[in-house]
Every structure is written in C-alpha cells, then in structure tokens.
Amino acid sequence: KGLESLIKGNESTVQKMLSARNDENLAEALEGVMRTNDLSAEMLLARFFDASVLSIYCEVVLGKSGKGGTATLAARIASEWIKPSFD
C-alpha cells in the first residue's frame, strides 16, 4: 500500500526509473526490484528516489516534515508505512 501511495502522482518518474511500459504495474515492478536486490522499503526509497520526491511525499501525503536528506526521508516514510494505521 505504501509503494502504491508513493507512485500516485509520480508515475512518470517511476516508469523512467524502471524503464517500464505504460501498462505495467509499477508497484509490482518496484517489489520485484526489492526482491531481486534484497532491499527493504527504506533501502529502496533511499537508493532509487530523489530527496525532492520523498520530501514532497512526506509533506503532502504523510503530513510529516519534508526536511532532511534522502536517507532521513526514506526512514521517515518507511516508519509510517509499517504502522497499522497507515492507509
């Protein structure tokens, strides 16, 4: 659910990053990257997403601070995603 919420509004960025087709399920493709590279969600975010994308996501979607570097933002997002209350 977390990946899907991050992809929403960032489809073109994720498609370019994955060299994906327009009809490809981007969440499944990102999950495949995580499996192939043995990455946690936090590691995926920190390695493949720009800090500006993560910052905007933190502020707009999560209502959290968008300040910090890529690693800090990735950790903030991942900690929200694991909460049972995350929808």
Side-chain angles (χ1 to χ4, degrees):
K1 200 136 186 158
L3 286 176
E4 291 171 359
S5 70
L6 178 67
I7 292 167
K8 187 175 182 180
N10 293 303
E11 293 89 353
S12 63
T13 300
V14 176
Q15 281 177 327
K16 287 176 190 171
M17 181 180 72
L18 295 171
S19 299
R21 300 180 317 271
N22 286 339
D23 62 341
E24 190 169 350
N25 183 317
L26 298 176
E28 287 179 9
L30 285 175
E31 289 169 0
V33 169
M34 290 172 65
R35 278 191 301 278
T36 301
N37 295 289
D38 194 28
L39 300 174
S40 66
E42 182 177 340
M43 291 165 61
L44 174 84
L45 296 173
R47 187 177 293 180
F48 294 103
F49 286 88
D50 188 74
S52 63
V53 171
L54 300 179
S55 176
I56 292 168
Y57 179 82
C58 280
E59 292 174 350
V60 174
V61 177
L62 300 179
K64 301 288 181 183
S65 170
K67 296 184 186 212
T70 306
T72 301
L73 294 166
R76 188 172 299 140
I77 293 167
S79 70
E80 289 297 313
W81 285 357
I82 60 172
K83 291 181 180 177
S85 60
F86 181 77
D87 283 332

